[in-house]
Amino acid sequence: MAYFYEEPSHTFGEYLLIPGYTSEDCIPDNVSLKTPVVRYNKKAGEKPALTMNIPMVSAVMQSVSDDKLAIALAKEGGISFIFGSQTIENQAAMVARVKSYKAGFVTSDSNIRPDQTLEEVIALIEKTGHSTIAVTADGSAHGKLEGIITERDYRINHFPAGAKVSEYMTPLSKLVTGKDGITLSEANDIIWANKVNQLPIVDAKGNLVSLVFRKDFDNHQTYPNENLDENHRYIVGAGINTRDYMDRVPKLLEAGVDVLCLDSSEGYSCWQGKALHDIHEKWPNAKVGAGNVVDRDGFMYLAEQGADFIKIGIGGGSICITREQKGIGRGQATATIEVAKARDEYYEKTGIYIPICSDGGVVQDYHITLALAMGADFVMQGRYFARFDESPTAKLNINGSFVKEYWGEGSNRARNWQRYDLGGKKTMAFEEGVDSYVPYAGHLHDGVTLTTSKIIHTMCNCGALTIPELQQKAKITLVSSTTISEGSAHDVTVKRNSVN
């Protein structure tokens, strides 16, 4: 007969953390949120090949993770997994754009030829909003650099009609430039030493490569947790499926992807096992996460098949209706707890530590801290990141409130049948996701800064300075529905509800 679990499964909202002893050293400035992303031999003293500076990754979704959000999240210390429900070429191009984006090195998007007119300069400034224009021989972003022209080089209405750019620009001979290949630190040293506002970076042939601006120096002080590879490029991930991976993976690796993730609503399958085997055999250095699973058996299977990290969660996402449609899933907290125990069991047996990712079920920021305390190394979120300016969806005004569009990969809008593939026809039999709106939440930087601040302060309350220490020291209690109600504002008339 069927196996019955004696205890019901629980969600994060049914638990609270009990404070631990907070020493004088346990202050927010001393807390580290650094966490491993891929498997490593921990007992042998090996270091993980890939880490993050915050325990947050964005979901493999059309409405969440593109190259723009990937850059924004990498600046904060996390990783985006660029959605795979698009052509191989388009996904690889997104990955390449992230990897080619050099923090502080800006590709010039305002360019003009020396034989063009000042009227055209003014029109270009009005169009782009940028007052610094690179003058190149062919007017392209990477043409031979001839000079720079800014609004300080001429006075509006005080030049003759048809005046040429070449007559007013600062010529190359009078410009301070940097050589292609210098570091951002070196570029900033040149800017400050020469008291200039921008530094054109040129290659050996005199072609413009990029620009470094004085004002961006302060911007980079804003992102102390930037997640960079050994070449100082942003870390980026990508989602793959179990159908076209032999064609997709080489293109993504060629584009520079750092980590891959088999994206499926249910990962305890022969298809994922085969994909993991094939990819690691063909590309042994490729890092591939797998999932999703919700119990020990699922974890052990994917661990034995070589998964570099394992994702937990079925049906807990805000746009997911898999539980409603199929009756399959498990409360996210219970699933995380059981899989974390399996991970520790596997580690004790093999010495190999496999990071686990809790995917879904996070409604409040403190749920992230609970997931970490229960054993997760990081969390994957969709709704959370879909709310920000940097997500790829439209910002709309609905009934006087700003919202962002957000749809599931199993919705009719996305029709990502590969994510729900069971080896049958190449089509979706029915929907497992919805099309929706989420409240607009502004810039990703502001949101992530607030969320990580909450995590850090809660860790201090628990007497922990690192995520592993939190997992060791945390005391967690299951609470009643009355306790949950008591935890919110009650028996008062709230003046402002801005917190929620």
Side-chain angles (χ1 to χ4, degrees):
M1 68 180 282
Y3 177 81
F4 288 87
Y5 288 89
E6 294 183 4
E7 294 293 327
S9 64
H10 298 284
T11 65
F12 294 131
E14 297 176 77
Y15 289 92
L16 289 174
L17 288 155
I18 302 297
Y21 172 68
T22 303
S23 69
E24 62 183 11
D25 294 326
C26 204
I27 59 175
D29 285 347
N30 292 340
V31 174
S32 169
L33 294 181
K34 190 170 184 177
T35 192
V37 179
V38 295
R39 68 159 62 202
Y40 64 106
N41 194 325
K42 187 175 180 180
K43 280 191 176 177
E46 184 179 282
K47 299 295 183 183
L50 185 61
T51 60
M52 289 189 294
N53 295 320
I54 63 170
M56 299 168 70
V57 301
S58 67
V60 189
M61 298 176 70
Q62 295 173 11
S63 56
V64 179
S65 299
D66 66 353
D67 49 307
K68 183 179 179 182
L69 190 124
I71 291 169
L73 185 52
K75 287 181 178 180
E76 303 301 330
I79 296 176
S80 282
F81 285 86
I82 292 177
F83 70 95
S85 51
Q86 59 178 320
T87 67
I88 295 172
E89 293 73 22
N90 286 350
Q91 188 184 25
M94 285 188 180
V95 169
R97 285 196 289 272
V98 178
K99 299 305 292 187
S100 64
Y101 183 96
K102 293 181 71 175
F105 292 84
V106 181
T107 298
S108 178
D109 62 358
S110 296
N111 308 285
I112 204 161
R113 298 190 313 275
D115 61 342
Q116 289 182 262
T117 66
L118 289 188
E119 285 88 354
E120 290 174 289
V121 169
I122 294 169
L124 186 57
I125 291 174
E126 289 178 351
K127 178 182 177 182
T128 65
H130 299 156
S131 60
T132 298
I133 298 176
V135 184
T136 59
D138 60 0
S140 71
H142 300 296
K144 187 174 180 62
L145 183 64
E146 301 280 350
I148 293 286
I149 188 165
T150 73
E151 289 178 312
R152 295 186 303 174
D153 293 318
Y154 58 88
R155 290 175 63 191
I156 298 291
N157 299 325
H158 283 74
F159 56 82
K164 301 298 183 183
V165 171
S166 58
E167 300 170 22
Y168 289 82
M169 71 182 187
T170 302
L172 177 61
S173 60
K174 295 184 178 180
L175 287 177
V176 178
T177 62
K179 293 182 179 180
D180 187 25
I182 66 172
T183 67
L184 182 60
S185 177
E186 290 169 336
N188 279 312
D189 287 344
I190 294 172
I191 287 173
W192 286 91
N194 290 276
K195 300 179 181 179
V196 294
N197 289 320
Q198 68 279 322
L199 182 72
I201 307 299
V202 296
D203 64 18
K205 295 181 179 180
N207 296 317
L208 177 64
V209 176
S210 58
L211 296 170
V212 178
F213 292 92
R214 176 192 287 261
K215 64 181 177 61
D216 286 341
F217 177 80
D218 291 334
N219 290 345
H220 291 288
Q221 304 301 102
T222 307
Y223 304 109
N225 290 322
E226 285 183 313
N227 206 16
L228 305 170
D229 66 16
E230 64 277 7
N231 296 314
H232 298 281
R233 301 176 302 175
Y234 285 133
I235 300 291
V236 62
I240 57 176
N241 61 67
T242 56
R243 287 277 187 164
D244 66 5
Y245 57 89
M246 293 304 285
D247 296 320
R248 190 174 290 267
V249 170
K251 294 296 184 183
L252 294 173
L253 291 173
E254 184 181 339
V257 76
D258 298 282
V259 60
L260 301 164
C261 179
L262 283 162
D263 182 41
S264 174
S265 65
E266 204 279 291
Y268 188 11
S269 73
C270 62
W271 313 112
Q272 288 218 3
K274 183 178 186 304
L276 287 166
H277 177 269
D278 290 345
I279 294 170
H280 282 137
E281 184 176 59
K282 181 75 173 178
W283 302 281
N285 294 323
K287 305 301 181 185
V288 191
N292 286 14
V293 299
V294 292
D295 64 359
R296 177 187 180 277
D297 292 344
F299 172 88
M300 289 299 184
Y301 173 75
L302 291 177
E304 295 294 345
Q305 300 306 311
D308 287 293
F309 69 85
I310 294 173
K311 243 170 6 106
I312 310 160
I314 296 177
S318 59
I319 42 69
C320 185
I321 54 173
T322 292
R323 297 181 193 175
E324 180 181 322
Q325 294 283 62
K326 290 173 157 180
I328 288 176
R330 198 175 196 189
Q332 191 67 14
T334 300
T336 301
I337 292 167
E338 180 170 327
V339 172
K341 288 179 180 178
R343 186 267 317 281
D344 293 344
E345 178 187 338
Y346 186 85
Y347 167 65
E348 290 300 325
K349 178 182 176 181
T350 66
I352 304 296
Y353 187 91
I354 302 178
I356 56 176
C357 168
S358 181
D359 176 16
V362 171
V363 180
Q364 305 291 346
D365 286 343
Y366 80 89
H367 293 170
I368 300 175
T369 318
L370 275 168
L372 299 173
M374 290 173 179
D377 295 279
F378 52 98
V379 299
M380 177 173 278
Q381 295 168 280
R383 179 193 62 84
Y384 177 91
F385 289 109
R387 303 173 303 145
F388 297 126
D389 285 317
E390 293 81 0
S391 77
T393 63
K395 176 184 172 184
L396 307 172
N397 190 317
I398 305 294
N399 297 325
S401 298
F402 284 107
V403 297
K404 293 272 283 185
E405 293 182 294
Y406 179 47
W407 60 90
E409 290 296 290
S411 66
N412 263 329
R413 183 168 184 172
R415 299 205 66 78
N416 180 7
W417 62 268
Q418 294 95 332
R419 191 177 196 276
Y420 304 88
D421 184 24
L422 294 175
K425 296 178 180 179
K426 297 181 179 181
T427 184
M428 282 177 54
F430 47 83
E431 286 185 279
E432 293 190 44
V434 299
D435 194 349
S436 66
Y437 301 121
V438 289
Y440 168 66
H443 295 303
L444 181 145
H445 172 70
D446 297 331
V448 170
T449 299
L450 177 60
T451 296
T452 52
S453 177
K454 292 179 184 179
I455 296 170
I456 288 168
H457 281 77
T458 305
M459 287 172 61
C460 288
N461 292 144
C462 295
L465 294 176
T466 65
I467 293 172
E469 191 176 5
L470 174 67
Q471 293 166 348
Q472 180 184 11
K473 290 184 174 181
K475 295 182 288 185
I476 304 171
T477 180
L478 190 65
V479 298
S480 67
S481 58
T482 306
T483 304
I484 296 170
S485 299
E486 182 185 60
S488 299
H490 59 90
D491 301 313
V492 294
T493 299
V494 178
K495 293 180 179 180
R496 285 189 310 121
N497 202 24
S498 59
V499 171
N500 292 325

